[in-house]
Amino acid sequence: AAASDAPGGIACSFITPGQGCHVTFFLRRVTAPGVIAPVTRHDAGAGCASPFVITGLEPATAYHVHAIVTDAVYDKANTVSQSVAAECVSAG
């Protein structure tokens, strides 16, 4: 994960999963200890291209980014991979 070209964006690069697999990203803003920030879900869908750019985030802000691969849309998935995570600062 790295800052994208547009303010408030993060570009997530990955190896494209197999045919029919979906990629979903979960983000949470990095906060002070004891402060809870909401988790947001961003569906890249099946056959998505890398990098997938997530927009609309707070500019120049650190986020924890988690990615998973599923066998269907996240809400209907039967198989879910382990997550891969990174910490990234969104574009300012």
Side-chain angles (χ1 to χ4, degrees):
S4 69
D5 294 336
I10 291 178
C12 302
S13 297
F14 53 92
I15 297 171
T16 305
Q19 183 71 20
C21 292
H22 292 247
V23 178
T24 304
F25 296 94
F26 295 89
L27 275 74
R28 182 186 308 194
R29 188 172 40 87
V30 176
T31 61
V35 176
I36 299 173
V39 174
T40 58
R41 185 177 79 206
H42 305 268
D43 293 310
C48 56
S50 177
F52 178 75
V53 179
I54 299 168
T55 60
L57 305 172
E58 293 180 38
T61 301
Y63 284 87
H64 290 135
V65 180
H66 298 264
I68 61 167
V69 176
T70 59
D71 63 345
V73 175
Y74 183 76
D75 292 342
K76 298 185 189 290
N78 291 313
T79 304
V80 178
S81 72
Q82 293 181 334
S83 68
V84 176
E87 186 172 311
C88 180
V89 175
S90 60

